[in-house]
Amino acid sequence: MKSLLIVAGEYSSHVYAEKIIELIGYKINIFYVSPFLSEQVQTKILLNGLSEIGFGNLPNRIAKALNFKKQILELVRTERIENALLIDFPGFNLPLAKSLKKNNSKVFYFIAPKFWIWNYKRVEQLKNFTDCVFSIFPFENEILKKENVKSLYCGNVSKILVEDFKTKPKDIDLLILAGSREAEVKNFFNKFDITKILKSVKFQISALEHLKEFYPNTENLNFGNSLELLARSKKAIVTSGTATLETALLGIPQVVVYDPNWLTFQIGKNILKIPFVALPNILLKKKVVPELLSEDFSTENVLKSLEEINLSNSILVKDELADLLGNQNPFKIVANELLVSLT
């Protein structure tokens, strides 16, 4: 039986990995590496403390990354693993891909780094250090092919994940999605004062169990499925990331916020190749959802923007995005490609 290393360094990557593992079944011997425990296979190495954003505390994070990389390469050597599926998490996974290729491993990459926003040189890394990139955006796949990167558009993960949640009753006035990383959650609640809305609207905070210590002490925390909560919501405040696309695909009016640390923002605003941070705006090449970044992100500005957004525009945005992304199921396509290649 062939062996496959799967590295999923963040919560969203872990969710995607679990779906792929389920579809693969027991036809491939899987070695799983993640900060999270799989419900289907043993997690061989726990990647704790690597998913922070920005440029803060770099020396400690670099040391951790090098140590984990060493552990993974030792696992590959001792278990004679010849194939790897690396999911997103490019700051860690791209250097790992380079090392794996030096060991003659076959490397598949699912969810490419957003080189079309910044750091275009990563295209060359994908070309040199991967055997196939499973792309989740049609235009991204076209760019990769033009650059002679072996790439396959497999459909968009958000488009598929929201399908089961489109008909929920709207019983939440406002949903807050503060992010999926510790720094994002901390930054959000440092800037947004929930006491300003406690008595005025029925709101919920979509919370993650592994970050529970960083949320405010309120009965409005909800640790349920974030997509189900979104589908039940009339409006949302969303930290920039994949959740902005999920919100748009559900037709929910949203205000997008983002507050990186000062150094990250100063560097980022000088190197970004596009004028937006929200995925709906990036994909449609126009501002279809409001963005409040850095110093513009305040409780007052968010509440004002919430009053101005409307449902009819959100429905139009949803339809445009659905047409753009198509109906392919990325989890099935990735699993099938792996099975064909490795069995």
Side-chain angles (χ1 to χ4, degrees):
M1 181 185 294
K2 292 289 184 72
S3 296
L4 176 69
L5 170 75
I6 298 181
V7 181
E10 297 179 292
Y11 182 72
S12 58
S13 304
H14 168 66
V15 172
Y16 307 154
E18 288 284 77
K19 291 184 176 295
I20 294 168
I21 291 169
E22 181 180 7
L23 290 165
I24 289 174
Y26 297 99
K27 298 173 184 176
I28 297 174
N29 189 19
I30 293 173
F31 293 83
Y32 190 52
V33 175
S34 175
F36 307 95
L37 296 175
S38 171
E39 295 182 359
Q40 302 169 87
V41 295
Q42 182 182 357
T43 302
K44 295 293 185 178
I45 299 173
L46 279 171
L47 292 178
N48 293 322
L50 289 183
S51 62
E52 285 305 299
I53 57 174
F55 298 91
N57 199 21
L58 270 179
N60 182 49
R61 285 158 53 198
I62 290 173
K64 281 186 177 181
L66 290 173
N67 181 51
F68 281 129
K69 179 181 170 184
K70 182 179 179 181
Q71 291 181 49
I72 292 170
L73 293 175
E74 180 63 19
L75 175 68
V76 168
R77 186 187 66 81
T78 56
E79 298 292 344
R80 298 181 179 180
I81 306 169
E82 298 178 344
N83 309 281
L85 174 65
L86 310 180
I87 305 178
D88 203 356
F89 205 45
F92 182 81
N93 275 338
L94 278 177
L96 177 61
K98 181 179 180 179
S99 297
L100 289 169
K101 287 308 293 181
K102 285 183 178 179
N103 289 342
N104 297 315
S105 297
K106 193 169 188 178
V107 178
F108 301 88
Y109 207 109
F110 180 37
I111 306 182
K114 295 178 179 62
F115 58 85
W116 32 271
I117 298 180
W118 70 291
N119 206 352
Y120 196 83
K121 69 180 181 181
R122 284 177 163 176
V123 173
E124 192 67 19
Q125 294 175 307
L126 291 170
K127 179 180 177 180
N128 293 332
F129 308 138
T130 69
D131 293 274
C132 183
V133 176
F134 299 116
S135 173
I136 61 170
F137 299 112
F139 75 91
E140 174 186 83
N141 186 55
E142 292 174 6
I143 296 172
L144 290 172
K145 285 185 176 296
K146 287 180 181 178
E147 296 287 357
N148 296 315
V149 178
K150 187 174 180 182
S151 175
L152 173 68
Y153 177 62
C154 60
N156 185 270
V157 291
S158 297
K159 175 70 162 48
I160 297 303
L161 291 175
V162 302
E163 290 297 324
D164 294 333
F165 300 95
K166 286 187 173 180
T167 58
K168 299 292 181 180
K170 304 294 184 185
D171 59 350
I172 300 173
D173 291 335
L174 176 66
L175 183 68
I176 295 173
L177 292 120
S180 60
R181 296 165 174 159
E182 176 185 331
E184 290 173 337
V185 174
K186 285 180 177 178
N187 289 345
F188 182 94
F189 290 108
N190 281 337
K191 297 293 286 284
F192 188 81
D193 182 3
I194 64 168
T195 64
K196 301 290 185 182
I197 58 171
L198 274 174
K199 296 180 180 179
S200 58
V201 295
K202 183 179 180 181
F203 78 96
Q204 296 275 290
I205 298 171
S206 179
L208 295 170
E209 188 67 34
H210 66 282
L211 297 176
K212 60 184 177 182
E213 64 185 286
F214 305 112
Y215 296 102
N217 184 17
T218 172
E219 62 183 14
N220 299 79
L221 291 181
N222 193 318
F223 292 92
N225 186 298
S226 62
L227 287 177
E228 181 178 355
L229 294 174
L230 259 178
R232 290 167 48 198
S233 301
K234 297 174 184 176
K235 292 185 178 183
I237 306 169
V238 187
T239 293
S240 180
T242 304
T244 64
L245 181 57
E246 294 169 345
T247 305
L249 286 167
L250 285 167
I252 310 299
Q254 65 178 309
V255 176
V256 176
V257 299
Y258 187 54
D259 184 36
N261 66 47
W262 182 87
L263 178 59
T264 300
F265 185 72
Q266 294 303 315
I267 294 174
K269 72 179 183 180
N270 290 316
I271 59 179
L272 290 181
K273 294 180 177 295
I274 52 179
F276 307 118
V277 299
L279 277 172
N281 294 341
I282 293 170
L283 291 172
L284 297 179
K285 300 179 181 179
K286 57 185 177 181
K287 191 172 184 179
V288 294
V289 298
E291 299 179 354
L292 298 174
L293 312 180
S294 196
E295 64 268 15
D296 291 331
F297 174 22
S298 67
T299 304
E300 291 73 21
N301 287 344
V302 170
L303 296 180
K304 180 181 178 182
S305 293
L306 282 172
E307 292 178 359
E308 296 171 351
I309 57 178
N310 63 79
L311 179 60
S312 58
N313 181 65
S314 298
I315 297 300
L316 292 174
V317 170
K318 177 189 74 172
D319 293 340
E320 283 189 71
L321 288 169
D323 289 341
L324 175 70
L325 296 173
N327 295 313
Q328 298 96 320
N329 186 315
F331 308 114
K332 289 182 179 179
I333 290 176
V334 171
N336 287 338
E337 290 291 324
L338 290 171
L339 288 170
V340 169
S341 180
L342 304 186
T343 58

